[in-house]
Amino acid sequence: MDFFSSPLVHTLDLVGIFVFALSGALLAVRRNFDVFGLAVLAEVTGLGGGLFRDVVIGAVPPAAFTDLGYFLTPLVATVIVFFLHPVVERINKAVLVFDAAGLGLFCVAGTLKAHEFGLSLTASAVLGLATAAGGGVLRDVLANEVPSLLRWDREMYAVPAVVGATATALLIHWDRATPVAMAAAAVLAFVLRLLALRYNWRAPRAWNRRSATADES
């Protein structure tokens, strides 16, 4: 478990927060928000999942308020998007790759932290998913959009996080929660997300679905 408090993983954590914050600030630009709106969506997207997890498990004050780097990183993303958003939009594919890496890291780290605070394996996996995807849900709600997590017309996002969190929970159950095994679980979620982006994989809808609502493009 010490692996996840190492300087390397802390740095990767900040990278994940930064990339998530970029996506929040970019959405704010598309919605024509002012600079304060950019900062709010960047902070919420980058820190929302971890903040929710820490409050639920009683890890207070949350890491978002005890580590200045966590708070400042989304503000750095805000400044970059504010001045360079056309450039960031052009490298959106690279941003998505880093976003997938953040998803993998956060679903594993979230599951581990929840279990360390005494939650069951199932509850820990759920909070692992919340850590990885919660910020994006809050971002979309604040921007008055249907969360991407719930939309069929978007590539799978929750499924890779669920797989990574579940793999982590099973490794804990089998007493195989080594740094290498945890890294493998994170890579599994990362690769699944990349494959979903590459091949446009989507989660299945209801069997024999009958709906008068047209599919969104």
Side-chain angles (χ1 to χ4, degrees):
M1 300 303 179
D2 292 339
F3 173 77
F4 286 90
S5 61
S6 69
L8 172 61
V9 174
H10 182 261
T11 301
L12 293 175
D13 208 16
L14 292 178
V15 171
I17 290 172
F18 176 75
V19 176
F20 284 174
L22 282 180
S23 71
L26 284 172
L27 178 58
V29 170
R30 297 184 192 115
R31 300 290 288 178
N32 203 30
F33 290 3
D34 62 16
V35 64
F36 182 74
L38 266 71
V40 169
L41 282 196
E43 291 282 355
V44 165
T45 309
L47 303 176
L51 184 62
F52 174 78
R53 175 204 61 212
D54 288 350
V55 170
V56 169
I57 65 180
V60 292
F65 294 102
T66 58
D67 188 321
L68 187 60
Y70 283 10
F71 179 77
L72 292 180
T73 297
L75 296 183
V76 173
T78 299
V79 172
I80 291 174
V81 172
F82 183 81
F83 289 105
L84 300 173
H85 64 87
V87 177
V88 179
E89 289 279 13
R90 284 199 295 272
I91 62 170
N92 190 52
K93 287 186 178 180
V95 172
L96 287 175
V97 172
F98 285 108
D99 180 87
L103 177 79
L105 177 65
F106 284 8
C107 69
V108 171
T111 303
L112 278 172
K113 187 169 184 178
H115 186 261
E116 287 175 350
F117 275 77
L119 270 66
S120 68
L121 291 177
T122 300
S124 296
V126 170
L127 280 183
L129 168 62
T131 303
V137 171
L138 291 173
R139 173 202 63 206
D140 293 341
V141 169
L142 288 176
N144 198 29
E145 293 192 354
V146 177
S148 298
L149 191 73
L150 306 178
R151 294 182 58 168
W152 175 82
D153 60 320
R154 301 289 175 86
E155 296 86 358
M156 290 191 306
Y157 196 87
V159 173
V162 168
V163 171
T166 301
T168 303
L170 290 174
L171 288 168
I172 294 172
H173 176 71
W174 293 327
D175 197 25
R176 294 292 186 272
T178 64
V180 172
M182 296 297 95
V187 169
L188 175 61
F190 170 65
V191 170
L192 283 176
R193 173 61 177 161
L194 289 185
L195 290 173
L197 289 169
R198 174 66 177 83
Y199 296 105
N200 198 29
W201 289 350
R202 301 176 181 181
R205 290 185 287 180
W207 186 256
N208 289 329
R209 171 180 169 271
R210 296 291 184 270
S211 174
T213 303
D215 290 338
E216 297 183 36
S217 59

